[in-house]
Amino acid sequence: MSSSTLKHLEFVKRSARALKGGGDKAIEKQIAMGKLTARDRINALMDAHSFHEYDLFVEHRCRDFDMDKKVLPGDGVITGTGTLSGQGVCIYAQDFTVAGGSLGLMHARKITKIMDHAIKMGLPIIGINDSGGARIQEGVDSLAGYGEIFYRNTSASGVVPQISVILGPCAGGAVYSPALTDFVFVVDQISKMFITGPEVIKTVLGEEISMEDLGGARVHTEISGNAHFFARNEVECFHQIKKLMTFLPGNNTKRPIPHAPAPPKPKFNIEQIIPAEPSKPYDVRDIIKAVCDNSDFFEIQERWAANIVIGFARLNGETIGVVGNQPLVLAGVLDVDSSDKAARFIRFCNAFSIPLVTFVDLPGYLPGVDQEHAGVIRHGAKILYAYSEATVPKITVILRKAYGGGYIAMCSRHLRADFVFAWPTAEIAVMGPEGAANIIFRNEIANAPDPAAMRKQKVAEYTQKFANPYVAAAAGHVDAVILPTDTRKFLLHAIQISKQKTESRPRKKHGIPPF
Amino acid sequence: MIDTTQIQKLQIEDREYETFFTKKFAGRRHYHPPDPRKILCVIPGVILKIHVHPGKKVLRNDPLLVLEAMKMENIILSPADGRIKAVNVEIGKMVPKGTVLVELE
């Protein structure tokens, strides 16, 4: 055999060993847990044959605790580049079959190297997490590795979209990388995220709880709000990621890839969705679907703080970010969680130049001791901050109720909405007619021979005079009162006309949002 | 269509809205004003020492007991001057969060 053939064979041998990850037994175990292997995950997620792997032959350098005798192929993480829904991306996937996907120095260096690429090249970064945590044998080097990742997550924030996919354990310090990224995907029974696990909680606090109940996919999509997308299995999860990518730009200087414009589906009849009675519920997502292209609304954090709806849609083929009060849940009030949810989404859209469309129908903020003690003042302020700060085109449609502080918060003219449209059913007022009449006409009502009749009369008077869009329109706070059937037309035009929008804010290092 | 069988009423200002509750909202705890005479355990742990007994007079900031939690010894101080009504814990026993440790008269 020629020497070049021998070298070729050596390469094939080394590659084959590295590509096997933790070996057949570990792979069998991974599959028995209902999980795909790291490499299969990447191939399932990326466009066919687009993945190019780097750093396959990286090895750890730990000498302590007999680690020098251990070979860890790829050091437990696969990194590379490719395309996803036609968009170039950088990706890494931790390989649980290699030392439990534990994070050592070289493992972290592979991740930070691909993250640096993402920032330099202006490409989204996708991280698939499946790791037992820090590689204890590597000690403080492993902690340093985490820190380097968190630093880059922060540095890349608002520059390139960052997506975390939790497909296994992600515990302790490791959870802070996903927490710093823009979108977190979890899968039922597979994802586990927590700072301190059930064992520590039991020994220290004497409380018993399963991993699933402490930090499973349902917990993070329904209770904590740490994750954005829930899937029943990995394949469904990959479909969600592919769909999300179609709405996103590669970086903060690019626009999302435009799609062919398409009208909404006729089954969403915009005139028949909202009940006339302001205390009756409806699903605001039907309104969104009645105006957006192809009635295709991609909802984010569907299961958490459902009293506000956020997500992406398209108008005339271009991505928009949608925020809408949801009267179906808690009457659509703003509260601690819904404010957090909307504020972060608004900031994402602003960072990536995605126009914002806001649908308003809310009675105000949620009353309650728990809300006040949980800091609804500080949390509620986030939504004001996020809307005021945003300089992307901002279009607001007031569907029905817009009372008090809720009216101001939901991208009102005063927070610099570019266009505020109101339906004839809009009620823009300091509060609901019942409450307002009870305060303004307190004496008249109390002193009347029939207080109940007087109250009814005064509520009717107030409703007639103020529960409409015309007081706000007379002041110029509303730009146009429009018929529901004209909503899409007005939105399409507003988006089109706002394309070259420029708006500046005072120069600063950065603002100080009420985190 | 909306399944109206699960619909709830939520009062905001002077109007009742028909709507659904979130799990979190439905499971919220009603507020009870704290009773300053009851000293509650704020972190689960083990009682190491008990400095007081029923009937004993204490001054504000007098140590009542020592609770070991998170590998730290926490000295529980009296929030006010008064007389001990009851001591509800024993040395060496694990106490959960929220337990009434000591009651003042």
Side-chain angles (χ1 to χ4, degrees), chain A residues 101-124:
Chain A
S102 61
L103 184 136
L105 178 68
M106 294 311 287
H107 177 123
R109 283 216 181 134
K110 281 181 71 171
I111 294 175
T112 54
K113 187 170 162 188
I114 205 71
M115 290 175 83
D116 287 338
H117 269 303
I119 298 168
K120 271 187 296 187
M121 315 295 179
L123 299 175

Side-chain angles (χ1 to χ4, degrees), chain B residues 5-77:
Chain B
T5 55
Q6 296 294 310
I7 220 146
Q8 308 271 351
K9 300 234 165 169
L10 177 67
Q11 170 119 13
I12 310 273
E13 287 169 357
D14 295 338
R15 190 189 278 162
E16 258 188 358
Y17 292 92
E18 291 179 18
T19 193
F20 293 92
F21 287 173
T22 55
K23 261 193 228 165
K24 200 168 179 175
F25 184 79
R28 75 196 185 287
R29 289 212 188 126
H30 286 277
Y31 177 72
H32 298 289
D35 183 346
R37 287 165 304 178
K38 288 183 177 164
I39 293 126
L40 299 177
C41 181
V42 295
I43 185 168
V46 176
I47 302 296
L48 292 188
K49 272 182 210 158
I50 300 176
H51 294 295
V52 291
H53 51 82
K56 185 174 177 181
K57 270 192 179 171
V58 289
L59 297 174
R60 187 166 177 263
N61 288 341
D62 276 357
L64 301 177
L65 23 102
V66 178
L67 170 81
E68 190 189 66
M70 296 293 291
K71 296 167 191 155
M72 291 287 290
E73 293 185 7
N74 302 274
I75 304 164
I76 311 296
L77 305 176

Side-chain angles (χ1 to χ4, degrees), chain A residues 217-254:
Chain A
R218 282 179 197 280
V219 169
H220 290 305
T221 47
E222 291 173 12
I223 300 170
S224 74
N226 287 328
H228 300 76
F229 295 95
F230 174 91
R232 282 159 298 179
N233 53 58
E234 295 194 18
V235 174
E236 188 186 21
C237 173
F238 298 150
H239 279 297
Q240 292 171 341
I241 299 168
K242 287 176 194 175
K243 174 104 195 235
L244 172 68
M245 284 302 294
T246 66
F247 291 98
L248 304 183
N251 61 55
N252 62 351
T253 66
K254 291 257 162 48

Side-chain angles (χ1 to χ4, degrees), chain A residues 136-172:
Chain A
I136 306 299
Q137 293 87 341
E138 297 200 28
V140 75
D141 274 348
S142 155
L143 299 183
Y146 280 119
E148 292 290 334
I149 294 170
F150 304 158
Y151 170 78
R152 280 167 181 80
N153 284 135
T154 309
S155 187
S157 179
V159 180
V160 295
Q162 299 186 82
I163 290 167
S164 296
V165 196
I166 315 300
L167 297 180
C170 178

